[in-house]
């Protein structure tokens, strides 16, 4: 089979797609990818054909960003025009059609975050007999009875909290839609999607009726989730076409930006062993706006805490110039680290709770101290599951030093966290490549 992957932009989405693509290639299928130009070099470095795209998914409020990137003089009016004329859709449809003409895929694997591409592709899928599947680089964004929203820090046993979280999600989305309607004279994201669904004659059964973090999520199509079922909450009935694949081992970063870290790591590990110290690793992923200020304050607080302990601390951040200077001799800061490698030697991982980081920490059996700062998507829900399964603790970036230190001491001193991580890994071991291929087989068979 010829299989085309359409990943969402971001390494957290690219890595799972590459892991699945590698398994399919191992089983004899031809694999292709198409996405933003930024990832072309990285993907081709892994040995896959990659078509760079200039367009972005439609119906996801990208109009302002696109027109700012194009340096349009009147961004608002350019965005309004795009919404009225379906400008982003037209550009997307043209590029995706060209990719299909060039690749001639039998199967398309869509990233669940950009599910609106299904609307674009639907007429072409029917016309050319192409099958489609959805890959989720995080837990599903829709809400099922018994499972709180994935951006919530509520546990499923808290029925009142679950109801409140769902109400807040509905209120937030309703207000967002109302603002867009007012700003764009009725041409909000939901209207744009509905209009194109009708024009493309996409059956309504494919538009999920469940509340979701996204404007559009798909029903009635095979969907694959990059986690073992054991990581999610128990006691809810999953959709019959959802398959849990387990924590797939992602590809290794080979960027030259890792040279400084690669040269320093042997010395750090030698010091760790010689002085019998614990190694703490801290990384917060990609930060935006006010998050940068919050995390910079937290990192400086963490450095002050570690300075008073015998532990070693490695921080990965591009905000190095905003950190305490000079750094204590037990603190090391890098713009970039090879995370999967470093976790093999880490005693505690301090993170925002991104799905990639959580899954890699579980695989390395490293207890986690999570400080979610991203409210839009999954970090809060990921942190809730980590705490629920006894694999780590969660905190608030603004909590006092004493509380941070207390959590660090608990995670380093209590062996139960390691035991729970080992138990989760044992559940993950059942998620083999053969099991994935068996689950994916219906997509490959006419």
């Amino acid at each position: 089979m010829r299989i085309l992957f359409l990943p969402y932009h971001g390494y957290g989405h690219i890595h799972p797609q590459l892991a699945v693509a590698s398994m399919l290639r191992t089983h004899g299928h031809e694999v292709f990818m198409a996405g933003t130009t930024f990832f072309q070099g990285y993907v081709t470095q892994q040995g896959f054909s990659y078509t760079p795209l200039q367009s972005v998914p439609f119906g996801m409020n990208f109009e302002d960003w696109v027109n700012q990137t194009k340096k349009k003089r009147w961004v608002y009016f350019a965005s309004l025009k795009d919404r009225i004329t379906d400008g982003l859709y037209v550009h997307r449809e043209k590029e995706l059609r060209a990719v299909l003409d060039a690749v001639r895929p039998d199967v398309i694997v869509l990233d669940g975050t950009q599910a609106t591409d299904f609307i674009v592709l639907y007429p072409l899928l029917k016309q050319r007999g192409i099958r489609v599947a959805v890959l989720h680089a995080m837990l599903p964004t829709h809400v099922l009875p018994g499972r709180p929203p994935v951006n919530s820090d509520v546990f499923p046993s808290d029925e009142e909290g679950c109801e409140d979280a769902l109400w807040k999600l509905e209120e937030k989305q309703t207000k967002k839609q109302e603002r867009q309607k007012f700003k764009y004279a009725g041409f909000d994201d939901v209207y744009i999607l509905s209009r194109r669904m009708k024009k493309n004659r996409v059956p309504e059964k494919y538009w999920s009726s469940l509340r979701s973090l996204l404007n559009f999520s798909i029903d009635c199509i095979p969907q694959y989730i990059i986690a073992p079922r054991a990581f999610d909450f128990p006691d809810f009935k999953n959709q019959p076409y959802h398959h849990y694949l387990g924590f797939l081992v992602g590809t290794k970063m080979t960027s030259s930006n890792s040279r400084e870290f690669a040269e320093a790591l042997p010395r750090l590990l030698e010091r760790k062993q010689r002085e019998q110290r614990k190694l703490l690793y801290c990384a917060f992923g990609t930060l935006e706006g006010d998050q940068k200020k919050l995390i910079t304050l937290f990192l400086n607080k963490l450095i002050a805490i570690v300075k008073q302990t015998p532990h070693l601390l490695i921080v990965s951040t591009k905000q190095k110039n905003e950190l305490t200077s000079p750094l204590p001799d037990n603190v090391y800061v890098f713009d970039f680290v090879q995370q999967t490698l470093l976790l093999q030697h880490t005693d505690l991982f301090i993170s925002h709770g991104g799905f990639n980081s959580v899954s890699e920490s579980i695989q390395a059996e490293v207890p986690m101290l999570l400080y979610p700062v991203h409210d839009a998507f999954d970090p809060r829900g990921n942190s809730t599951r980590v705490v629920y399964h006894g694999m780590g603790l969660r905190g608030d970036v603004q909590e006092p030093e004493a509380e941070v230190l207390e959590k660090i001491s608990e995670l380093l001193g209590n062996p139960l966290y390691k035991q729970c991580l080992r138990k989760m890994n044992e559940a993950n071991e059942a998620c083999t490549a053969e099991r994935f291929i068996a689950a994916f087989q219906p997509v490959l068979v006419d």
Side-chain angles (χ1 to χ4, degrees):
M1 290 286 178
R2 297 170 67 85
I3 303 174
L4 172 65
F5 283 77
L6 296 176
Y8 189 66
H9 57 270
Y11 284 111
H13 293 261
I14 291 286
H15 286 166
Q17 299 257 350
L18 285 171
V20 173
S22 295
M23 287 194 294
L24 289 169
R25 182 170 61 181
T26 299
H27 281 75
H29 303 289
E30 291 185 82
V31 178
F32 306 83
M33 286 195 171
T36 58
T37 304
F38 179 82
F39 293 102
Q40 183 176 9
Y42 180 66
V43 173
T44 54
Q45 207 171 28
Q46 315 306 321
F48 292 98
S49 172
Y50 189 88
T51 302
L53 301 177
Q54 302 300 317
S55 60
V56 298
F58 89 111
M60 296 180 64
N61 198 32
F62 282 138
E63 283 82 2
D64 281 0
W65 178 83
V66 168
N67 287 305
Q68 287 167 0
T69 302
K70 292 180 179 178
K71 297 182 179 180
K72 293 289 184 72
R73 184 177 180 183
W74 306 106
V75 170
Y76 167 74
F77 291 107
S79 297
L80 178 60
K81 180 182 177 182
D82 283 338
R83 286 174 173 271
I84 293 172
T85 62
D86 237 351
L88 297 194
Y89 171 89
V90 171
H91 190 193
R92 191 69 169 176
E93 194 272 342
K94 181 180 179 181
E95 281 206 302
L96 292 182
R97 182 185 290 272
V99 172
L100 297 195
D101 289 341
V103 174
R104 295 176 290 107
D106 301 294
V107 176
I108 294 176
V109 179
L110 282 176
D111 191 308
T113 304
Q114 57 186 46
T116 61
D117 277 343
F118 176 77
I119 301 173
V120 182
L121 292 166
Y122 182 76
L124 301 173
L125 301 176
K126 283 190 64 179
Q127 180 186 23
R128 306 185 188 197
I130 301 171
R131 294 179 292 285
V132 65
V134 174
L135 186 65
H136 293 275
M138 56 184 172
L139 294 175
T141 57
H142 62 260
V143 183
L144 291 171
R147 183 172 65 187
V150 74
N151 68 335
S152 164
D153 54 13
V154 177
F155 294 96
S157 58
D158 183 359
E159 294 184 8
E160 185 176 342
C162 288
E163 291 181 7
D164 185 56
L166 182 57
W167 177 81
K168 287 180 178 177
L169 175 62
E170 293 175 350
E171 182 184 43
K172 181 178 180 180
Q173 291 181 335
T174 299
K175 288 183 176 179
K176 175 186 173 183
Q177 188 176 359
E178 288 174 350
R179 287 195 300 270
Q180 284 190 345
K181 279 184 178 294
F182 177 78
K183 181 178 179 179
Y184 297 114
F187 290 89
D188 61 282
D189 289 343
V190 175
Y191 172 80
I192 290 170
L193 292 169
S194 300
R195 176 180 63 184
R196 185 47 65 174
M197 285 274 290
K198 293 175 182 176
K199 286 185 177 181
N200 287 10
R201 298 182 181 179
V202 182
E204 290 185 5
K205 69 176 183 177
Y206 291 119
W207 190 332
S208 176
S209 60
L210 296 170
R211 179 66 64 178
S212 171
L213 271 63
L214 303 173
N215 292 328
F216 177 77
S217 57
I218 301 177
D219 263 352
C220 303
I221 285 176
Q223 304 191 34
Y224 301 89
I225 302 153
I226 310 297
R229 176 64 181 83
F231 178 71
D232 212 340
F233 293 128
D235 304 327
F236 71 86
K237 187 176 180 181
N238 200 50
Q239 304 288 69
Y241 43 84
H242 277 191
H243 308 275
Y244 287 79
L245 303 184
F247 298 124
L248 302 179
V249 179
T251 55
K252 305 297 187 295
M253 177 67 87
T254 54
S255 169
S256 60
N257 292 338
S258 64
R259 182 177 301 170
E260 181 188 8
F261 167 76
E263 291 176 351
L265 184 60
R267 296 194 300 274
L268 287 171
L269 296 181
E270 190 275 332
R271 182 182 180 187
K272 176 181 187 293
Q273 184 176 11
R274 172 169 42 85
E275 300 177 7
Q276 294 295 296
R277 299 201 186 206
K278 298 290 187 181
L279 176 59
L280 283 56
Y281 164 49
C282 180
F284 276 85
T286 303
L287 302 173
E288 299 177 358
D290 292 339
Q291 295 170 353
K292 291 183 179 180
K293 296 178 182 178
L294 278 174
I295 296 307
T296 299
L297 290 172
F298 174 79
L299 290 177
N300 282 322
K301 177 165 55 180
L302 181 63
I303 290 169
I305 293 169
V306 172
K307 182 180 180 180
Q308 303 171 45
T309 74
H311 311 317
L312 300 176
L313 171 65
I314 292 178
V315 178
S316 176
T317 179
K318 295 187 183 299
Q319 309 299 117
K320 185 174 182 178
N321 293 336
E322 299 177 32
L323 299 184
T324 300
S325 181
L327 291 171
D329 72 345
N330 59 339
V331 176
Y332 303 84
V333 179
F334 301 97
D335 290 341
F336 178 88
V337 303
Q338 291 173 291
Q339 183 161 289
T340 52
L341 173 61
L342 179 57
L343 285 171
Q344 300 303 316
H345 307 281
T346 297
D347 297 291
L348 173 61
F349 185 20
I350 302 170
S351 164
H352 65 300
F355 196 80
N356 237 30
S357 293
V358 167
S359 63
E360 289 173 358
S361 193
I362 292 172
Q363 288 174 315
E365 296 184 3
V366 178
M368 288 165 274
L369 178 51
L370 302 179
Y371 290 92
V373 291
H374 304 272
D375 293 326
F377 287 103
D378 60 321
R380 289 197 180 278
N382 297 337
S383 71
T384 307
R385 287 161 176 80
V386 167
V387 174
Y388 181 88
H389 292 296
M391 299 181 293
L393 297 174
R394 176 171 57 202
D396 184 321
V397 289
Q398 299 184 67
E399 67 191 12
E401 289 186 12
E403 290 186 27
V404 179
L405 181 57
E406 183 180 354
K407 291 184 173 76
I408 290 174
S409 300
E410 164 67 13
L411 289 163
L412 291 175
N414 191 335
L416 288 176
Y417 298 101
K418 281 275 192 181
Q419 293 174 21
C420 291
L421 285 159
R422 196 165 298 119
K423 182 179 178 181
M424 184 62 68
N425 264 334
E426 289 172 357
N428 188 56
E429 287 175 0
C431 303
T432 61
E434 289 71 23
R435 184 174 170 180
F436 159 68
I437 293 298
F440 202 76
Q441 197 61 27
V443 183
L444 301 174
V445 178
D446 286 318

